[in-house]
Amino acid sequence: MLGQQLIDRIMGVSQISRELDTLVAAYTKQGRFSGAVLVAQHGDILLSKGYGYADQDHDWQSNTPRTLFRIGSMSKPFTAIAMMQLVEQGQLSLGDTLSTLLPDYPQGERITIAHLLSNRSGIEDYVTTTEYERIQSARLSTQELTGLFRDQPLRFAPGSNFGYSNSNWVLLALIVEQVTGQPFERVIRERVLLPAGMRASGLDWSSVRGGRSVGYIDTGAGMERAPLLDSSTMRGGGDIHSTIEDLYQWDRALYTDTLLPQATLRQMWTPLTELNGKGYGLGFERHTLHGHRSVGHSGGLPGYVSNIARFIDDDATIILVSNLGSAAWEQITDGLAAILFGAPYTLPTKKTFVKVDPAVLTAYVGTYTMEYFERTAELRFTIEPDGLVMHTNGLPKAVLSALSDTRFYGRSKGEVEFAFVREHDGQVNRIDIVWAGYKLAAQRK
């Protein structure tokens, strides 16, 4: 009897593994994914595989579970863990203000460490500025980075709202250096990466000599190599590179007290902000997929996207890293979770595009503003030889493909669909947007 139960379990796991692989392979075949994926439950790895190519320009080397990828904002929980270690050691308090840690920081008496960790400080996000685009490939010090935003007015009173901002994480990195007297990179490596068993991971992409992926952008008009963003310009909030194998080691460490006590981790996972059914705690995102709650974080840099969803009530994990900036990471994560938990799902279908009269497109040209994670972004639409094109600070331009006269599909940080809404007088002043699973709206400026 026990033998039959074991056989049934093995066959069931094998079936799930095949379904997981089939789903990711389908997205890869459609050009909507390139990278590596790991799915595990109860300590059993159900899928650990690379898809697509790490380098499409030279050797066409395939992605593998050991290929290095830049994980973007998935780095934020690592910085948060380092900060909370200092809190646990009594070197800091969540209520400490910037004025006590960085005495010359403007309005620092109003901003606490808790505000920074929860993205509730009101500090402007430097990544969305035109100045950042100019210097993103340069090697910058933490002080030079803070110069991009320290004198900008606060967007709201600290603690009164949520505003996703990479500036918070630059300041957290600076505080780590101030308190420990060590370089931020060394602190993260020695206190977080190595204790978790993440020996292939690091913070300086330029120092990696082998086994790394090349980031690509699918503009909609063709595949391009992504501009190289220097790791120092995303200090604290987007500077880590890793593999799915290393990230799984981190996931397992979070079920122990290796990095922090479980009570402290639960505090970090508790949402302080809830928006559209999604939450944000202290450096961790909180989601619910198919009725199962997860904690983790997504990330993106030019040419890269990533996501980790840790289903802490089910001892299950989905890890996705990609060297395609427009990868359908949200749809893939959702589909993998559905397979894992026995929920309905469908394989991706090929999109059908249509030709639109250029005269129709002229009504869509202009600048629109939208709120994304409670920060303002400008979307500029122009008509170029390739067609209707979207531009926004911090992201590559995206050539849009028409699904109808009013609906368009784009490839940016994840996949985007735009629906241009005509008023009664025929004017287009609003766009309804679905961006990597988030429903948004943009108004003509």
Side-chain angles (χ1 to χ4, degrees):
M1 184 66 178
L2 287 176
Q4 185 60 50
Q5 289 177 342
L6 179 60
I7 291 171
D8 291 344
R9 179 177 178 275
I10 292 172
M11 291 184 65
V13 168
S14 297
Q15 175 61 30
I16 291 174
S17 296
R18 285 193 293 271
E19 287 189 54
L20 295 169
D21 180 38
T22 298
L23 178 80
V24 183
Y27 279 97
T28 304
K29 186 176 181 179
Q30 292 185 12
R32 300 169 66 186
F33 184 71
S34 170
V37 174
L38 188 147
V39 182
Q41 188 169 30
H42 303 310
D44 294 327
I45 296 177
L46 305 175
L47 177 67
S48 179
K49 186 175 178 179
Y51 300 83
Y53 297 97
D55 188 341
Q56 300 181 27
D57 297 318
H58 301 106
D59 57 12
W60 288 88
Q61 183 177 355
S62 297
N63 283 317
T64 75
R66 295 184 178 180
T67 302
L68 287 163
F69 297 83
R70 307 183 76 172
I71 65 171
S73 288
M74 200 196 289
S75 306
K76 289 179 170 65
F78 292 82
T79 299
I81 287 171
M83 289 297 299
M84 294 303 289
Q85 287 175 344
L86 296 176
V87 171
E88 286 290 319
Q89 294 162 10
Q91 298 186 64
L92 288 172
S93 166
L94 288 175
D96 286 347
T97 63
L98 285 183
S99 61
T100 61
L101 299 162
L102 307 173
D104 63 340
Y105 195 86
Q107 302 193 63
E109 73 283 355
R110 305 175 62 193
I111 302 168
T112 68
I113 289 177
H115 292 150
L116 299 176
L117 286 168
S118 59
N119 285 311
R120 296 178 64 86
S121 70
I123 299 173
E124 191 68 59
D125 188 356
Y126 70 94
V127 171
T128 62
T129 65
T130 55
E131 176 65 12
Y132 176 69
E133 285 196 63
R134 187 181 65 81
I135 63 171
Q136 63 184 0
S137 298
R139 178 55 60 102
L140 301 178
S141 68
T142 311
Q143 287 77 9
E144 287 173 316
L145 273 181
T146 60
L148 296 176
F149 58 82
R150 59 172 287 137
D151 295 323
Q152 297 295 318
L154 295 177
R155 295 190 60 219
F156 51 80
S160 68
N161 204 344
F162 175 85
Y164 191 85
S165 175
N166 289 282
S167 303
N168 296 322
W169 301 87
V170 175
L171 292 172
L172 288 167
L174 184 57
I175 292 168
V176 166
E177 292 181 333
Q178 294 271 89
V179 173
T180 64
Q182 298 177 338
F184 176 72
E185 292 82 354
R186 180 177 177 182
V187 173
I188 296 299
R189 172 170 286 279
E190 294 184 355
R191 298 193 179 203
V192 185
L193 300 183
L194 292 181
M198 302 176 68
R199 300 192 178 280
S201 304
L203 283 78
D204 184 4
W205 187 245
S206 66
S207 68
V208 179
R209 292 294 173 261
R212 74 179 192 177
S213 59
V214 175
Y216 291 93
I217 297 166
D218 185 349
T219 66
M223 197 73 71
E224 296 181 1
R225 195 176 180 121
L228 188 61
L229 182 152
D230 194 88
S231 302
S232 67
T233 69
M234 287 299 298
R235 187 170 286 109
D239 43 4
I240 293 177
H241 57 263
S242 191
T243 69
I244 55 171
E245 290 185 345
D246 265 18
L247 290 166
Y248 184 56
Q249 292 297 315
W250 178 59
D251 165 73
R252 302 319 295 169
L254 293 178
Y255 284 103
T256 72
D257 293 339
T258 299
L259 300 176
L260 283 170
Q262 288 295 298
T264 302
L265 288 170
R266 286 193 295 272
Q267 177 188 4
M268 298 172 72
W269 299 336
T270 302
L272 297 176
T273 300
E274 302 225 24
L275 294 168
N276 301 321
K278 301 173 176 64
Y280 203 95
L282 299 175
F284 281 87
E285 297 173 346
R286 179 79 164 266
H287 300 267
T288 300
L289 290 176
H290 305 289
H292 297 255
R293 66 170 182 160
S294 74
V295 297
H297 215 290
S298 58
L301 292 174
Y304 296 91
V305 290
S306 62
N307 192 34
I308 182 168
R310 305 182 60 252
F311 298 92
I312 53 178
D313 300 322
D314 306 276
D315 189 10
T317 305
I318 295 171
I319 302 169
L320 177 154
V321 289
S322 177
N323 61 327
L324 176 63
S326 59
W329 64 269
E330 193 272 343
Q331 296 94 323
I332 295 173
T333 301
D334 187 86
L336 293 173
I339 294 170
L340 196 59
F341 299 122
Y345 73 96
T346 57
L347 292 174
T349 56
K350 189 174 182 179
K351 296 183 182 295
T352 301
F353 301 118
V354 301
K355 289 189 176 181
V356 176
D357 188 329
V360 174
L361 301 181
T362 58
Y364 307 145
V365 172
T367 300
Y368 302 74
T369 60
M370 72 172 188
E371 294 290 321
Y372 184 56
F373 271 113
E374 301 304 306
R375 58 181 175 178
T376 302
E378 283 194 352
L379 309 180
R380 301 178 299 280
F381 293 86
T382 61
I383 297 177
E384 299 180 12
D386 291 322
L388 188 64
V389 178
M390 181 197 73
H391 309 261
T392 187
N393 290 340
L395 296 175
K397 76 173 185 178
V399 178
L400 307 187
S401 301
L403 298 165
S404 71
D405 279 358
T406 58
R407 292 178 56 246
F408 293 80
Y409 167 82
R411 303 163 181 86
S412 189
K413 183 180 176 181
E415 298 184 327
V416 196
E417 288 197 15
F418 303 90
F420 291 87
V421 180
R422 289 186 179 273
E423 309 290 349
H424 294 299
D425 59 2
Q427 297 297 310
V428 175
N429 293 315
R430 189 181 92 241
I431 312 172
D432 291 334
I433 303 170
V434 178
W435 198 318
Y438 293 90
K439 293 184 179 180
L440 307 164
Q443 299 290 333
R444 187 181 289 274
K445 190 173 179 181

